[in-house]
Amino acid sequence: MGIVYNKEKKTITLHTKHSSYQMKIGNLDYLFHLYYGPSICDADMSYQIRQYDRGFSGNPYESRNERTFSLDAQPQEFSTQQQGDFRTTSIEVVNSDGSYSFGGKAVDVTITGGKYKLNTLPTVFANEGDTVDSLEVILSDPVTKVQVILLYSVFEEADIITRAVKVKNAGDTPIHLKKIMSVCLDFINGSGFDLVSLPGRYGQERQVERQKINHHIHTIGSVRGSSSHQQNPFVILCDHDATEDFGACYGFCLMYSGNFLTEVELDQYDQLRLVMGIHPKQFVYEVKPQEVFEGPEVIMAFTENGFTGLSHLYHDFFRSNLCESKFVSKVQRPVLINSWEAAFMDFDDVKLVNIAKAAKKMGVDLLVMDDGWFGKRDDDNSSLGDWYVNENKIKCGLHKLVEQINDLGMKFGIWFEPEMVSEDSDLYRSHPDWAMQIPGRPAVRSRNQIALDMSRKDVQDYLIEKVNAILDDANIYYVKWDINRSLTDIWSNQLPAERQGEVYHRYILGLYRVMDNIIKTHPDILFEGCSGGGGRYDAAMLHYYPQYWVSDNNHPIDRLKLHYGTSFVYPISTMGAHISDSGRLVPIKTKAVVVMCGTFGYELDATHLSEEEVKICKEQSDLFRKYYHIIFGGDYYRLSNPFEVGNMTAWQHVTKDKSESLLSVVVTNLTCNGPQEYVRAKGLKPDAMYSINGSKELYSGSALMHAGLPIEREVPEYTSFQFYLKKEG
Ligand code: DGJ
C-alpha cells in the first residue's frame, strides 16, 4: 500500500518505490510535516521534532502554559495564518468579519485507491496497471469552518507524488481567498540546499540557474498572466554538492499556465519552507458558503541520483501519465515544414504548394501554414479573431489547398492564436467588449493586439465554434496554438467590481475549457503549443499538447542551451525544434543533429535549397525516423553543460533496454593545437559490446562510459558527430 495511516501514532506515510513522505497529526491536531526523502520503511519520524521555548514565536492559546510549542518553529504540512507562524504563508483568507485567521486542525483522513481528480483544472492521470493511491486530509478552522482539503496521489513505481489543494467554505458567510498555495513543504533541517530554476526571456527560455539558499525568501514567479518566458513553474531543491549523477534532488512542477509563485524560505532556525501555487498578485477569489475553490496540482519527485535521475523520473512520468494524445506514444510524429520563417505572412496558396513540393523531396511529411492565412492579415496589425480564410491569399479555399497538399502525399497543419483580438478585425468591431480592457483606460497594446476576455463564456463558445469549424472544414492533421503577448488590463465586464481579482485565474479556466473541447473533439489532430516561442511551456499545456515550440530562437548553438535547460523536467518528445536559416555559419547537418533532440522539422524556404542541401535534408529526415524510438522512447543524458566554458556540447539517448543509443556532439569552439578530447557515454550496459555507426570493431559499454570516445580534432567549427551505438553482444 502506497499510503499508511497509523492511527495510534497518528502518522500518515506515503511510499513510492524509492522515497517516503510522512506527516503527523500532532499537538492540538495541527498537521506536521515529518519527512520527505529516501525510503524509511515504517519508521516513525516524530523523534525528529524538538521543542524549545523560542522567544518571539508565540504559543497557541491552548498550549499557553507549554511555551515550547509554537507553530513558528514546527514543520507544517500546510501552514496556518495568524496562529504564530511568521514564515511565508500557504493561505491568506479574509473571513467575513474581516479577520485573516486560519488555524486548520486535521479533522478527517481518507485513503482511496486510484488518482484524485480536480473538476476545474487538468491533472495527471493513472493508466491501467499503475499502482496509485490517494489521500485526502481535511484541515478545518474551528471558528470560521473554512476547510483546506489536502490531496495527495502516490504513483509508487514512478516515484512521483502529486499534491493539490481545495478550499471549501463550510461556514455560512462568503470568504475571500488572497493566497492559496498548492504545496507547502517544510524541511525540518533545511540547511545545505541549493535552488535550481529555469529563468529566461524571449528567445532564451529556460536557461539554468543554481543558487545557494540563504536566510531570506527566494521568490520565483510570473505575473504576466501566463507561466511566461521569464520564469518556469518548475524548481529543484538539491544538495549543495548534487551533480548530474549524484545527490539528493527534489523536483516541484506546477501544472498551471497562469500567474504562479514559488517561494523558498530558509528561516531563523534553518528550517526550509517551499510553497508553490497561484501567484497572489491581484488575486482575490470569493468563495461562497458551500463552494469549493481548487488550486492546481504540483508534481513532486525525489531521487538520490542527481539531476539526471530527477529528469528521468519526470520524463518517464510525463510520457505516460500527462497527456492523452495518441501522438505521445502510439503514433509517430511527422517531420514537418512550417511556413513562418519561409515566408512570414507573404504567401498564397501557390507558394505554399511549391514549398510543400520542394519539402517533399527533403523527406517532409507535413506542411504547416503558419500566421497570415485568415481575415485580411498581411502583417501583425489586423485580423486576430477573424478565423475564416483570407481568400485573397488562399484563392482556392482551404479545402482545396489541403487537397493539393494531400495529393502530394503530405499532411496539412494550421496556425491559430485564439486568445487574441486585433482592433482591426470584424470580431472587435462587433464585440469590443470581448477584449480585455478597463473602461475609460485604453488598453496596453503588445504586438498591437489585445487579449480576449477568456473568462467569458460567450468568448469561449465563440472560439470553440470558430476553431472547430475550420478544423472540420478540411483534412487538418496538425494545429499550432500560439499566444503572443503577456496579459495586462485585467478586468472583465462580466464580473462586479469586487470580483475583478478573480479574472487572472478565470482566464486560465476559460482557456482550459476551450482547449479541452477542441482537443477532445479532434483526437486525431496533433496539437503543438506555442507562445512567441516557449513562453508558456508548462506541465498543464503539455497535458493538452504532446509538443511545445521551444523558442523562436532557431540558432542551433543557442538551441543547445535551450534544449539543455528544458530537458531538466520536460521530455525530449515535447520539444518543438526546426532547422531554419538561422545560424548561417553552422552546417545544415549540425542543425539537423541539434533539432533531432526534439520533434525535428524545418522552417525555411525549401524552394531555395541547393540539390546538395535537399539531399542532406532527406538523409537527416530519414535518420530522425530511424532513431525516433531511441530519441522519443529512451533515456536522455546531458553529457556536458553548454553554459560552462568548453569546446563541445554532447548529449545522449539510450533505449530502455540499453541495446541502442544515439550520442551527439557539436563542436562549439576551436582551440589551436588543443588536447585530444573525449566524451564519456552514460547509461550503457558496462559488460555489453557495442558497435559504433556499424563498425566491425566493438567497444565495451564500460570503456565507452569510463574512458569515453575520442572526438576528432582539426575539424571546422560547428562540426557535429552522431554516434549510433548498437549492442552486439
Ligand atoms: C510566434 C511563434 O513563436 C512563431 O513561430 C510564429 O508562429 C509567430 N508567432 C506567428 O505570428
Side-chain angles (χ1 to χ4, degrees):
M1 186 66 171
I3 303 174
V4 180
Y5 180 23
N6 185 325
K7 288 195 178 142
E8 202 187 315
K9 292 180 175 160
K10 294 195 172 178
T11 55
I12 308 167
T13 314
L14 281 47
H15 292 292
T16 72
K17 206 168 163 187
H18 300 104
S19 71
S20 300
Y21 183 110
Q22 196 172 78
M23 63 193 90
K24 178 189 180 87
I25 302 172
N27 305 27
L28 308 175
D29 290 338
Y30 288 112
L31 188 64
F32 296 135
H33 178 79
L34 294 184
Y35 180 80
Y36 186 25
S39 296
I40 48 160
C41 304
D42 54 0
D44 175 359
M45 304 302 280
S46 311
Y47 74 93
Q48 292 273 311
I49 296 191
R50 292 285 184 265
Q51 292 186 195
Y52 303 98
D53 182 354
R54 299 288 199 184
F56 290 85
S57 294
N59 319 110
Y61 178 76
E62 301 96 311
S63 65
R64 60 199 177 282
N65 297 324
E66 187 199 342
R67 291 199 187 178
T68 59
F69 178 58
S70 164
L71 293 177
D72 203 23
Q74 306 297 331
Q76 315 287 326
E77 190 58 28
F78 187 85
S79 65
T80 55
Q81 189 190 8
Q82 290 294 335
Q83 306 295 304
D85 182 347
F86 296 96
R87 292 168 286 177
T88 190
T89 53
S90 309
I91 184 168
E92 264 183 50
V93 53
V94 187
N95 301 305
S96 57
D97 60 1
S99 67
Y100 278 70
S101 297
F102 174 77
K105 310 277 186 95
V107 294
D108 196 26
V109 175
T110 314
I111 297 170
T112 48
K115 171 73 176 66
Y116 65 77
K117 286 199 174 106
L118 297 175
N119 291 323
T120 55
L121 289 161
T123 56
V124 298
F125 51 82
N127 293 303
E128 233 184 276
D130 287 348
T131 312
V132 185
D133 294 301
S134 292
L135 165 72
E136 184 180 290
V137 183
I138 302 181
L139 307 177
S140 178
D141 183 284
V143 178
T144 60
K145 310 287 182 244
V146 171
Q147 292 184 353
V148 167
I149 302 161
L150 303 178
L151 301 171
Y152 303 79
S153 281
V154 180
F155 289 77
E156 260 185 80
E157 279 299 309
D159 272 326
I160 294 282
I161 297 174
T162 66
R163 279 186 69 169
V165 67
K166 297 200 254 186
V167 179
K168 180 170 179 188
N169 183 356
D172 45 21
T173 45
I175 57 167
H176 291 88
L177 277 177
K178 293 183 77 179
K179 181 181 184 187
I180 177 72
M181 295 286 102
S182 296
V183 65
C184 167
L185 193 62
D186 280 3
F187 291 85
I188 198 163
N189 177 3
S191 55
F193 277 115
D194 280 0
L195 174 66
V196 178
S197 62
L198 304 176
R201 57 185 183 275
Y202 172 78
Q204 300 285 358
E205 298 86 339
R206 292 168 300 287
Q207 313 285 295
V208 183
E209 273 185 12
R210 179 173 182 165
Q211 53 185 301
K212 186 176 177 305
I213 297 174
N214 295 317
H215 289 93
H216 61 244
I217 302 179
H218 299 252
T219 301
I220 290 167
S222 164
V223 291
R224 292 172 171 266
S226 85
S227 48
S228 87
H229 300 80
Q230 286 71 14
Q231 294 291 349
N232 194 267
F234 171 74
V235 293
I236 300 171
L237 286 179
C238 62
D239 279 352
H240 186 55
D241 51 8
T243 63
E244 272 292 352
D245 303 300
F246 305 105
C249 292
Y250 297 81
F252 302 87
C253 184
L254 183 71
M255 205 155 158
Y256 191 61
S257 312
N259 290 348
F260 74 92
L261 176 69
T262 306
E263 289 176 309
V264 178
E265 178 175 9
L266 186 63
D267 77 5
Q268 54 184 336
Y269 305 121
D270 284 355
Q271 303 178 110
L272 184 136
R273 168 168 295 171
L274 177 140
V275 296
M276 190 181 221
I278 297 174
H279 203 294
K281 181 184 154 136
Q282 216 172 306
F283 173 82
V284 187
Y285 217 95
E286 182 177 77
V287 188
K288 296 206 170 93
Q290 299 317 311
E291 277 182 0
V292 174
F293 177 88
E294 294 180 333
E297 181 162 78
V298 174
I299 302 144
M300 306 192 300
F302 170 77
T303 180
E304 291 181 283
N305 301 325
F307 301 125
T308 299
L310 194 72
S311 300
H312 286 179
L313 292 181
Y314 277 107
H315 290 188
D316 287 347
F317 189 64
F318 285 170
R319 284 186 295 194
S320 55
N321 297 74
L322 180 60
C323 175
E324 276 164 316
S325 165
K326 66 180 191 183
F327 292 97
V328 173
S329 55
K330 294 193 193 83
V331 175
Q332 183 154 333
R333 317 271 176 95
V335 172
L336 66 79
I337 187 158
N338 180 296
S339 67
W340 183 243
E341 287 190 23
F344 295 100
M345 295 191 205
D346 180 18
F347 61 79
D348 61 9
D349 46 359
V350 177
K351 193 168 191 174
L352 290 176
V353 173
N354 285 339
I355 292 177
K357 279 183 184 156
K360 175 86 185 154
K361 297 192 190 122
M362 296 153 56
V364 170
D365 306 306
L366 181 144
L367 173 88
V368 179
M369 176 172 70
D370 206 280
D371 193 353
W373 59 268
F374 51 91
K376 59 177 183 69
R377 187 142 162 117
D378 287 322
D379 57 35
D380 55 16
N381 293 309
S382 87
S383 301
L384 290 169
D386 293 348
W387 299 114
Y388 48 82
V389 171
N390 177 349
E391 294 195 343
N392 288 330
K393 283 181 163 180
I394 312 300
K395 300 180 196 73
C396 61
L398 183 63
H399 196 86
K400 204 91 212 123
L401 171 64
V402 179
E403 259 178 26
Q404 289 183 67
I405 303 296
N406 289 166
D407 287 348
L408 295 172
M410 290 174 73
K411 298 172 178 18
F412 184 85
I414 195 166
W415 177 96
F416 287 98
E417 191 176 359
E419 298 155 67
M420 294 291 146
V421 66
S422 312
E423 274 161 286
D424 182 5
S425 68
D426 292 343
L427 180 66
Y428 186 81
R429 281 182 282 273
S430 39
H431 294 287
D433 55 321
W434 285 11
M436 198 106 87
Q437 33 193 355
I438 302 167
R441 196 183 284 275
V444 172
R445 270 46 172 180
S446 184
R447 213 192 187 201
N448 206 9
Q449 60 194 52
I450 313 181
L452 285 170
D453 178 359
M454 295 295 291
S455 72
R456 289 177 67 133
K457 174 125 186 333
D458 46 7
V459 170
Q460 297 163 23
D461 290 343
Y462 170 86
L463 293 174
I464 288 172
E465 189 201 317
K466 292 292 169 200
V467 177
N468 278 341
I470 293 280
L471 300 186
D472 294 338
D473 178 44
N475 186 20
I476 289 169
Y477 193 81
Y478 161 105
V479 166
K480 178 172 171 189
W481 184 303
D482 203 351
I483 166 173
N484 283 297
R485 64 162 292 176
S486 305
L487 304 187
T488 58
D489 303 277
I490 302 303
W491 192 83
S492 172
N493 56 20
Q494 297 288 284
L495 289 168
E498 65 278 11
R499 298 197 73 166
Q500 294 299 325
E502 300 178 15
V503 176
Y504 267 129
H505 182 56
R506 286 183 181 275
Y507 179 103
I508 296 296
L509 296 181
L511 169 65
Y512 289 158
R513 176 173 171 254
V514 174
M515 284 165 48
D516 199 60
N517 179 299
I518 294 170
I519 289 167
K520 285 204 176 120
T521 312
H522 298 96
D524 292 329
I525 292 184
L526 168 61
F527 284 84
E528 175 158 355
C530 174
S531 173
R536 200 165 57 181
Y537 205 126
D538 58 59
M541 284 292 140
L542 294 176
H543 170 78
Y544 296 102
Y545 316 129
Q547 59 192 59
Y548 208 97
W549 186 224
V550 168
S551 180
D552 273 356
N553 182 351
N554 285 321
H555 193 289
I557 304 306
D558 278 355
R559 278 269 173 170
L560 296 172
K561 289 182 181 160
L562 286 155
H563 288 227
Y564 171 89
T566 306
S567 78
F568 271 75
V569 54
Y570 306 115
I572 305 309
S573 57
T574 65
M575 298 186 197
H578 301 164
I579 297 170
S580 85
D581 284 338
S582 178
R584 286 176 198 279
L585 297 178
V586 181
I588 201 155
K589 191 188 149 231
T590 295
K591 293 181 180 181
V593 167
V594 172
V595 306
M596 236 177 258
C597 185
T599 59
F600 192 89
Y602 299 89
E603 192 158 332
L604 40 72
D605 189 347
T607 61
H608 289 170
L609 295 186
S610 67
E611 261 181 47
E612 176 60 15
E613 285 170 325
V614 170
K615 190 170 151 264
I616 298 174
C617 290
K618 171 79 173 72
E619 281 164 12
Q620 297 304 319
S621 304
D622 290 344
L623 275 183
F624 171 67
R625 281 186 272 265
K626 176 175 165 198
Y627 297 143
Y628 186 93
H629 64 289
I630 314 177
I631 302 165
F632 276 44
D635 290 330
Y636 168 78
Y637 293 89
R638 294 172 289 267
L639 300 183
S640 66
N641 179 350
F643 290 92
E644 285 171 358
V645 181
N647 295 328
M648 53 185 75
T649 296
W651 65 97
Q652 191 188 356
H653 311 269
V654 186
T655 54
K656 291 281 175 191
D657 66 1
K658 300 181 184 299
S659 66
E660 290 176 275
S661 175
L662 185 66
L663 192 155
S664 307
V665 182
V666 174
V667 177
T668 49
N669 188 40
L670 290 181
T671 41
C672 172
N673 194 27
Q676 172 63 52
E677 294 196 52
Y678 299 83
V679 171
R680 286 193 209 149
K682 288 186 181 175
L684 302 176
K685 259 195 161 161
D687 53 354
M689 298 303 286
Y690 291 86
S691 62
I692 300 181
N693 293 337
S695 64
K696 286 223 174 72
E697 199 176 339
L698 300 184
Y699 305 83
S700 81
S702 52
L704 294 173
M705 291 193 290
H706 300 312
L709 267 166
I711 303 300
E712 205 182 316
R713 285 190 38 75
E714 315 288 337
V715 290
E717 204 166 12
Y718 304 135
T719 298
S720 61
F721 303 93
Q722 219 168 25
F723 302 103
Y724 170 63
L725 313 182
K726 187 157 183 332
K727 184 166 139 320
E728 308 286 356

